[in-house]
Amino acid sequence: MTLPGLSRFPGRALAARHKAYVRAFSSLAPYYLVNEFPKSGGTWLAQMLSDALELPFRRNTPFRFESAVTHGHFLNPLGLTNVVVIWRDPRDLLVSFYYHCYFINEHQNADLVAMMKAKKPFKHYEDIRANLPAFIRFLTKKPVSPDFTWVQFAQMWNGRPGVVQTSYEALRTDTAGELRRVAKALTGRPLPPMRAAQVVETHTFARAKAAAEDKRPKSVEKSFIREGALGVWRKHFTPEAEAALDAGGYTVPMARLGYVPEGAARP
């Protein structure tokens, strides 16, 4: 029997079961959880931690009672331990999430794309600069997948005691150094510099993008792995998009995380 509300997306039942396992056995196995709002770089970090800690990476797959690295989008912290939260400038995140919502990629998002085009259609989907303000306003009022907003996620998880905090920007700036810091904070064990460098080399953005292109099905419109650079939002954001962020309550939690408008003083 499918749980109410999960039948529209076949993957949601599996995701719900995944979350139940993580909550129940987080501290016992243990599971090391990379928690994020979608498109913050969580998959990349989880893959690197999996290799660095020499543990399996379990994501929306059948769980076994074993120590593993997992990944998800959890708002409620109930039952969760061994958590690392990864942040990303929400302006970059929203641009990436727009592509995920409107263009089919290799991560089985076709149902989400169909739903978004039905609920919030645009005349020209490629014109992200024109569409972004309305997209932000829509997500602020009617979050779809996940069913909470970035603002709610930030209010719950930023600075939460006992949680390791990192960011996509910190990982892009010093990937090996930040990976070592996160791994030690999670496990209490140091990650040797040489091992960290090997893991980082295995999971470079260029390698991931090339691998995705090699396996790209014909149905894919835009790859899940697109750019990965910092500050891409500047090409797409307009004053209207910035106003939509402000109206949606983004400004204060963004500033607390260090994401402030260019030229503004940090709090």
Side-chain angles (χ1 to χ4, degrees), residues 43-55 69 171 174-180 182-183 190-208:
T43 299
W44 177 43
L45 175 57
Q47 289 171 335
M48 289 194 294
L49 281 173
S50 172
D51 278 4
L53 303 180
E54 299 183 331
L55 295 173
V69 174
L171 281 163
D174 179 12
T175 310
E178 187 65 3
L179 178 63
R180 293 180 65 214
V182 169
L191 178 64
M194 185 173 293
R195 177 58 185 153
Q198 291 171 339
V199 170
V200 169
E201 177 60 26
T202 300
H203 294 281
T204 63
F205 182 81
R207 284 179 182 269

Side-chain angles (χ1 to χ4, degrees), residues 211-227:
E213 288 297 325
D214 286 344
K215 300 176 183 177
R216 180 172 177 163
K218 292 182 179 179
S219 60
V220 168
E221 297 170 331
K222 302 281 185 183
S223 177
F224 183 79
I225 302 172
R226 285 189 319 102
E227 292 193 44

Side-chain angles (χ1 to χ4, degrees), residues 67-143:
S67 186
V69 174
T70 188
H71 163 268
H73 316 301
F74 291 78
L75 180 62
N76 187 344
L78 180 66
L80 300 177
T81 60
N82 310 306
V83 179
V84 53
V85 173
I86 181 169
W87 301 100
R88 186 183 185 186
D89 189 320
R91 293 164 292 194
D92 274 334
L93 180 155
L94 285 163
V95 170
S96 187
F97 196 48
Y98 176 94
Y99 279 97
H100 185 64
C101 286
Y102 287 109
F103 299 96
I104 295 173
N105 61 42
E106 58 270 41
H107 278 238
Q108 300 180 340
N109 68 329
D111 289 329
L112 173 63
V113 171
M115 187 200 72
M116 285 298 295
K117 287 186 174 181
K119 286 180 173 282
K120 187 58 185 174
F122 293 106
K123 187 175 181 180
H124 302 292
Y125 291 103
E126 292 279 359
D127 194 353
I128 183 172
R129 187 175 175 85
N131 300 340
L132 197 56
F135 175 70
I136 294 170
R137 290 191 290 266
F138 177 82
L139 289 184
T140 300
K141 295 177 181 178
K142 299 178 181 179

